[in-house]
Amino acid sequence: MGLVIRGGWVLDERGHPRRRDVLIDGGRIAALGPRLPDAGHDVVDASGLLVLPGLVDLHVHLREPGFEAKETIATGTQAAARGGFTTVACMPNTRPPLDRPELVRWVRAKAEREGAARVLPFACITREQAGRELADFRALRDAGALAVTDDGRGVQNAAVMRAAMREAAQLGLVVAAHCEDEALAGAGAVHDGAFARRFGLPGIPGSAEAVQVARDIALTMETGCRYHVLHLSAKESVAFVRQAKALGVPVTAEVTPHHLLLCDADIPAPDANWKMNPPLRSREDREALIEGLLDGTIDFIATDHAPHTAEEKARDMAAAPFGIVGLETAFPLLYTHLVETGICTLQQLVDWLTVKPAQAFGLPYGRLAVGAAADLTLVDLEAERAVDPAAFASKGRNTPFAGWRLKGWPVLTMLEGRVTWQDPARFALT
């Protein structure tokens, strides 16, 4: 017996919504079209709902092992499912960091047992993320690592980064970089701008990111490595990536929802729920990110979901850790503030959250097509409510978007034909 998703709106090849049924059998999409026969199948009424491929987020922090008070693989993937995500890639800055193949295999196995989303772990570039000695890339790849990164820190030594890119190029691995020159960033807590000066906080200049983006692009040109820039934030970085792409350099880049929607002028007061790394930058930086996304310089959107405990985020802004959560609010935030305002189309937004990240890393996900995995997200574009951190599935409540009224909330998520989350007010599937 299969399952028919009946009468939902599916975007066609031109981005126009068409009423279509989706037949799921054996965890895959068996048929897609108008008025499919449902004899012998279970039926889900999707009337009035948008039916999307399962969303793909290639930058999240699940915090396990080592930081289970902040998040676990179980709670993080439950948050992903609520947000409509079926595939997430977790960063390796855990304790211990994912610098050994047995740790990568452990994360994959635990995620298969407990996860409500498909989990693809990144592994470290350097042992202990110390920036000195390369991890064993071949063993990490063979254990199932998606790519390598020292996210949370930039690789400070250019010779180490060049060696990493040479090794990764030989193995066909992507090197993904958190770009931050620590000598320039110093002890900064926020962007080096008006907010920092007003409240006497140490600032992080955009150049702290841009100089490493430029350096790594030069190393990419030398080594031929596939290079990905994590959470782009500065206008200078956007310009460097744009120039590199024009030259045919194999570089991709991502941007977060909060860097697209907020700048440092929006921070109401010193509040660690507005503290993330890279920081919210100037209005000009934010506009450059939107322009870069629209013109294809930036390839896709990732949340950089980074949960912390309430106690940690209650510290003052200089002492609190960096990071905000994002999995459960990404789609409605972007739909409300990019699509409904006319900045982009619905099809563009869906592409940036599905097929674009999948293509950047050669993954077979993010597609709604016969034969593809039955990863589906059903969205009610008319549903409107306020962001309520207390209702999050994530352990993290650290968000600057609390109380924002948003439209376009996911109401059902399905991974390979298995329901991983459903809005209990609309569905009661077993």
Side-chain angles (χ1 to χ4, degrees), residues 60-79:
V60 307
H61 296 267
L62 298 181
R63 303 302 195 196
E64 196 175 3
F67 299 105
E68 289 81 358
K70 300 173 188 278
E71 194 76 288
T72 66
I73 291 171
T75 58
T77 56
Q78 288 164 14

Side-chain angles (χ1 to χ4, degrees), residues 318-386:
F322 293 101
I324 64 170
V325 293
L327 283 165
E328 293 171 75
T329 55
F331 190 89
L333 272 172
L334 296 166
Y335 176 74
T336 303
H337 291 281
L338 293 186
V339 178
E340 289 232 312
T341 56
I343 293 174
C344 72
T345 67
L346 177 59
Q347 181 69 69
Q348 285 176 305
L349 175 59
V350 171
D351 286 351
W352 292 326
L353 290 169
T354 56
V355 68
K356 293 290 187 180
Q359 288 175 344
F361 281 73
L363 300 171
Y365 309 123
R367 299 181 303 121
L368 195 59
V370 174
D375 296 353
L376 300 177
T377 300
L378 275 57
V379 178
D380 185 346
L381 294 180
E382 298 302 318
E384 181 175 351
R385 67 172 185 269

Side-chain angles (χ1 to χ4, degrees), residues 400-417:
F401 299 111
W404 283 39
R405 289 200 67 82
L406 305 175
K407 291 178 67 177
W409 291 89
V411 293
L412 186 144
T413 305
M414 185 175 289
L415 173 65
E416 296 184 356

Side-chain angles (χ1 to χ4, degrees), residues 61-407:
H61 296 267
L62 298 181
R63 303 302 195 196
E64 196 175 3
F67 299 105
E68 289 81 358
K70 300 173 188 278
E71 194 76 288
T72 66
I73 291 171
T75 58
T77 56
Q78 288 164 14
R82 283 201 186 195
F85 291 92
T86 52
T87 299
V88 298
C90 60
M91 293 294 138
N93 56 339
T94 51
R95 189 172 58 200
L98 304 184
D99 63 354
R100 287 172 284 158
E102 58 268 29
L103 290 167
V104 172
R105 284 193 288 268
W106 182 86
V107 168
R108 290 179 64 94
K110 192 171 180 65
E112 289 178 4
R113 290 195 307 272
E114 303 175 5
R118 183 182 295 108
V119 176
L120 308 173
F122 276 82
C124 299
I125 294 175
T126 63
R127 295 187 185 279
E128 299 290 334
Q129 292 193 301
R132 293 188 292 270
E133 182 184 3
L134 295 187
D136 185 341
F137 288 4
R138 183 182 298 277
L140 293 167
R141 182 200 62 181
D142 293 346
L146 172 65
V148 292
T149 182
D150 273 0
D151 184 46
R153 298 190 64 185
V155 175
Q156 301 302 301
N157 188 310
V160 171
M161 193 60 161
R162 182 173 62 178
M165 288 187 168
R166 283 176 171 166
E167 177 75 8
Q170 293 176 357
L171 296 170
L173 274 173
V174 176
V175 172
H178 172 121
C179 293
E180 183 178 28
D181 185 301
E182 293 175 359
L184 293 174
V190 294
H191 175 60
D192 188 18
F195 179 84
R197 290 190 290 274
R198 179 183 176 192
F199 290 98
L201 290 164
I204 304 172
S207 59
E209 174 183 284
V211 296
Q212 285 209 345
V213 173
R215 178 202 71 178
D216 290 352
I217 287 171
L219 295 174
T220 303
M221 296 173 72
E222 177 182 341
T223 63
C225 175
R226 290 166 57 208
Y227 172 62
H228 178 70
V229 189
L230 300 167
H231 44 44
L232 210 61
S233 71
K235 58 182 183 293
E236 296 87 354
S237 305
V238 177
F240 286 137
V241 172
R242 182 178 290 118
Q243 293 166 7
K245 287 195 168 188
L247 294 171
V249 179
V251 56
T252 55
E254 69 186 38
V255 64
T256 71
H258 44 280
H259 288 106
L260 290 170
L261 303 184
L262 300 172
C263 61
D264 67 340
D266 297 319
I267 306 175
D271 175 351
N273 287 318
W274 294 74
K275 181 181 180 182
M276 62 287 286
N277 191 9
L280 299 175
R281 298 204 182 275
S282 69
R283 193 176 309 280
E284 292 75 19
D285 289 300
R286 185 177 73 86
E287 291 170 351
L289 293 170
I290 293 173
E291 181 182 357
L293 188 62
L294 292 170
D295 72 13
T297 300
I298 299 174
D299 298 83
F300 61 86
I301 300 172
T303 68
D304 192 9
H305 174 84
H308 293 288
T309 67
E311 292 75 16
E312 290 172 315
K313 278 298 192 179
R315 299 171 188 163
D316 66 67
M317 210 160 181
F322 293 101
I324 64 170
V325 293
L327 283 165
E328 293 171 75
T329 55
F331 190 89
L333 272 172
L334 296 166
Y335 176 74
T336 303
H337 291 281
L338 293 186
V339 178
E340 289 232 312
T341 56
I343 293 174
C344 72
T345 67
L346 177 59
Q347 181 69 69
Q348 285 176 305
L349 175 59
V350 171
D351 286 351
W352 292 326
L353 290 169
T354 56
V355 68
K356 293 290 187 180
Q359 288 175 344
F361 281 73
L363 300 171
Y365 309 123
R367 299 181 303 121
L368 195 59
V370 174
D375 296 353
L376 300 177
T377 300
L378 275 57
V379 178
D380 185 346
L381 294 180
E382 298 302 318
E384 181 175 351
R385 67 172 185 269
V387 174
D388 178 10
F392 286 170
S394 171
K395 289 187 177 184
R397 304 287 187 263
N398 43 304
T399 174
F401 299 111
W404 283 39
R405 289 200 67 82
L406 305 175
K407 291 178 67 177

